[in-house]
Amino acid sequence: MKVLGMIIASLHDFKNVKYHCTQSNENVAIINVEDKTLPVILAVSDTQITVFCNLFHINEVKPEHNLDLLQDMHRMNLPLNLSSFSQSGEYHIIFGALSIDSSMHQIEEEITTLIDNAEESLLTFEKYLILE
């Protein structure tokens, strides 16, 4: 069984939260975490597992605050355990990476930490966003 398939099969054993998963191909799955609004995307390569959330579209940032947002993201990279910021396509994202040999406990910890950090980040960054 492929690594992603084993992770998906083990989601129901995770103890801290409930997950619902949609596998989009053999290397990528979208995981919805119960009581959370942002889905987590889990991508598996030959050497690592990457877990990320799309935070917001680049067009959702007030143009006059682009630099402020990037500076805050840069400052927050270190204090946020297991998570970092980046841009993927037209989205600002938060992500974490693990070894392909990580235990299911480590994968669960990465997913739950990432989603908590994503929600905390959105609260911090909302002052820079165009809210409708």
Side-chain angles (χ1 to χ4, degrees):
M1 181 184 271
K2 300 260 186 205
V3 172
L4 184 60
M6 289 188 298
I7 294 169
I8 291 169
S10 297
L11 284 176
H12 69 277
D13 293 331
F14 288 178
K15 296 171 183 26
N16 294 327
V17 292
K18 295 188 190 268
Y19 301 91
H20 172 72
C21 183
T22 306
Q23 187 169 350
S24 54
N25 67 41
E26 68 180 35
N27 298 319
V28 177
I30 299 169
I31 301 170
N32 292 296
V33 181
E34 187 176 77
D35 299 327
K36 305 293 183 179
T37 55
L38 293 173
V40 175
I41 300 163
L42 191 139
V44 178
S45 71
D46 291 337
T47 59
Q48 71 178 11
I49 300 166
T50 306
V51 183
F52 67 94
C53 288
N54 290 330
L55 293 173
F56 41 84
H57 193 276
I58 59 173
N59 291 339
E60 293 178 271
V61 179
K62 295 174 186 172
E64 67 272 19
H65 289 296
N66 271 316
L67 182 58
D68 298 325
L69 171 69
L70 294 175
Q71 287 175 330
D72 271 2
M73 286 181 164
H74 186 72
R75 281 187 207 96
M76 288 175 64
N77 265 329
L78 187 58
L80 283 179
N81 293 335
L82 304 176
S83 301
S84 298
F85 297 102
S86 188
Q87 186 175 328
S88 179
E90 296 187 344
Y91 285 89
H92 289 283
I93 67 168
I94 189 168
F95 72 97
L98 303 108
S99 163
I100 196 73
D101 298 321
S102 297
S103 70
M104 289 301 156
H105 173 75
Q106 290 168 316
I107 295 168
E108 178 184 17
E109 180 179 25
E110 179 64 42
I111 292 170
T112 55
T113 301
L114 183 84
I115 197 72
D116 289 344
N117 287 345
E119 289 186 341
E120 181 181 328
S121 299
L122 283 177
L123 291 174
T124 301
F125 300 145
E126 73 180 356
K127 62 188 171 207
Y128 303 129
L129 301 178
I130 300 167
L131 303 174
E132 295 184 49

